[in-house]
Amino acid sequence: MNEIAEIINGTLHSGIPVKITEYSIDSRTVVSPEHTLFFALTGSNHNGHDYISTLYANGMRAFVINEYREEFTTLTEANFIHVENVLVALQQLARHHRQQIITPVIGITGSNGKTIVKEWIYQLMSASNSLKIYRSPRSYNSQVGVPLSLLGIEHDTDYSIIEAGISRKGEMSRLEKMIQPTIGIFTHLGDAHDENFTSKEEKLAEKAKLFRSCKWVIGQAGETLEHIRSYLPSSVSFLLWGEDKNADVQTETLYISKGHRHVQVYYKGHVFTLEIPFSDLVSYENCMNAVCLLLWMSTPVDILAERVRHLSTIAMRMEIKDGINHCTLVNDYYNSDPSSFRMALNMLAIQDATKERVVILSDFMDTGMDKEELYTLVSQMLCVANISLFIGIGKQLCKYRHIFPDNSRFYEDTEHFLRQEERDNFNNQIILIKGARAFQFEYIAGFLQKQSHSTILEVDLDAMVHNLNHFRSLTDAHIAVMVKAFSYGSGSREIASLLQYHRVDYLMVAFADEGIELRAAGITIPIAVMNPEREAFDNMIMFNLEPEIYALDILEDFNRALNKHGIKRFPVHIKLNTGMNRSGFDEQDLPHLLEFFQTERSVYIRSMFSHLAGSDETMHDEFTLGQIHLFERMTERIQAQFNYKIWRHILNSAGIERFPQYHFDMVRLGIGLHGISATHANLQPVSSFKTYISSIRKVPEGQSIGYGRKSYTTRPSRIAVIPVGYADGLNRHLSNRVGNVFIKGKRVPIIGNICMDTCMIDVTDTNAAIGDEVEIFGKHILVSELSEQLGTIPYEILTGISHRVKRVYYKE
Ligand SMILES: *Cc1c(COP(=O)(O)O)cnc(C)c1O
């Protein structure tokens, strides 16, 4: 500890001696607490110092802090290193650790393709068993991710591959100081994060900083790399590839056949052909960047060509799907290695807390770790993650079965699993399916997946978190998220679990039943109910669901229910009417309300709030300000009668964006979480309504299509059927070329009247085939575009997707 304290310039308050082997910033994912050093980072909405006492109770004894709290004095065994800035300390430690590594470190940056290039380099290198290669887990490439990645490098590692991602100026210098790459790779300059840079040049200059002290830089020959060269000292050499005659590695695409691209390469007098098992340009770029690194390592070209032929796609997504017998499947086909396994366990941790957890795992491939040690670590992780059943597949796991709990099951390979397990062995569980590619766990996923019609609403959890963080960045107030109406159509349990994990302060539902469902799913954060019904009072009290009180008689009845249960200080939320004229106390009702509180009461006013009628439109701004001022007046009057602080809140999503001076104590986020902004903020679409082509028919010119014969073909046409109709939530007004869908990069019109379960689309102008994916709305056709077309609002479209449409969740 002394040494670490010295490296990070901190003051050590010593406790018991500890041996640190792990570093953590997230209190939820610690595997061996007694050997972990916890960095108490402080973000806009969470403070690592809040978790120290809990971590201590779990056995952790080493913490880096920037504020010493009274409560820490009771943690007598703990070691604290007190620093000025915890993030800086983490980065200093990583930098120091990096300096001890003498083998090459490869630093990758660029707007897109970093993770793929990293993984492909890994695939190409690890085909040689003699190398020990380390790479940053998933896309750990930020100011926090990079130091954690670096701290994972071991002293006998031969090559380390580290991703560096930035979103604003000044960040790359800090990353460069830590990574100090020996070789740099620049993947691709895209438009991501453009809003934080004044120009493309500025962004490029920032990215180039990663390469300042590199010996070599790899990239595609051309203008971008010339720009980068101009920012770097002449001590940096370049290895550039491209069709350009002056490229160091000259390439030429010979032909593309059966989805493979055949590329001729000229390098230092060698001529050889690569068969890249992908045809698209992006894969070509990514592959060539990886190939150049292997050339730089002097890999013999025939061996390299052989390995390139076997490159495989990188599944970056983790998918959550409904399984058989009320199971939930978490599929992760990303690499199998301990750090990505840990992340997958995290994903499992945020699912429905009431269900048992099952893990189906294959042998880890090429990790270079001692096997006994590796599987002991896995077994510990299972224990921490509260896994009730472990199923191991592969020869290694069979061999080390004694390390795992007694009820575990083991199979030599996937085929034996499928032959010996029955579907009914799985019931009401959350199942993580994680296997190395060679094990073909897709078959296990298929075996356990619920089979049904595959029109889906795909929910992008990363986009949702992005949107949440955007709103967080706008406010210091508490955040309540409205999860009424099945979370605006996206699903209640899954979304509430995600929000709880990301530590929002409140959830609000429309009816008590919705709240009870969330409690049953293991949601423990406060939940408010906007339409509390008297019949549900007992349940609300039992499940800790806090009512919105919009009239005196409700308050009296609720207070009576509390007295019956002998409960005191139950939180309620007082709704005030300031102009919406839907529900709530008017200003003239306040004397009665306050009179009610003159006697001792069982309820406790947690908050008082109101709702704006036109917060998204400038034309109503005067009215809105009037509402807010009335709200201030009414709440001051109420607050004056109480000796405890009552929270105030009035803003919905549009209000949060447009009236930053009125956030008060809490804000209520709704549609914004789903990517709809009143101010064109940089939000991401969350839900995609998708289906696939189930059949295609050739129809001659002049024929009518569908019911009522409303559309005719005007040329020989190809008409596709998609299994989605108005019963799924596809609005019938989109019939007859009003609406479009998106297939293979193109919009095509809906033709004929939309039927109950199906509709027809005109795919004449595309090469669409049966089985192709069709987007009804999502990332290409925005919900807001659709709602405008239909003369309604995005809320109605999102909440109108039928419950029979399966919700599928994913994250990168
Ligand atoms: C639905 C709702 C919100 C959220 O509104 P958005 O426009 O979706 O942000 C906020 N407050 C109340 C009372 C609501 O009913």
Side-chain angles (χ1 to χ4, degrees), residues 482 484 488 508 530 548 575 582 609-611 615 651-654 668-672 795:
M482 314 306 291
K484 59 196 181 195
Y488 292 52
M508 296 201 179
M530 291 186 297
E548 162 186 328
K575 174 79 169 282
R582 184 172 63 176
F609 72 106
S610 187
H611 196 35
S615 66
L651 299 181
N652 65 341
S653 307
R668 300 188 305 269
L669 177 59
I671 196 87
Y795 304 71

Side-chain angles (χ1 to χ4, degrees), residues 57-112:
N58 294 336
M60 202 183 282
R61 292 293 179 265
F63 307 92
V64 178
I65 54 171
N66 61 14
E67 115 191 47
Y68 191 85
R69 296 187 180 172
E70 191 61 38
E71 70 205 57
F72 298 163
T73 49
T74 60
L75 315 180
T76 47
E77 292 187 0
N79 294 276
F80 289 101
I81 303 181
H82 197 154
V83 296
E84 214 158 275
N85 180 321
V86 176
L87 177 61
V88 170
L90 173 66
Q91 297 182 342
Q92 277 167 339
L93 188 65
R95 176 183 153 95
H96 175 85
H97 183 77
R98 159 66 183 102
Q99 279 165 345
Q100 316 304 308
I101 306 294
I102 49 173
T103 50
V105 172
I106 300 151
I108 307 183
T109 195
S111 312
N112 309 107

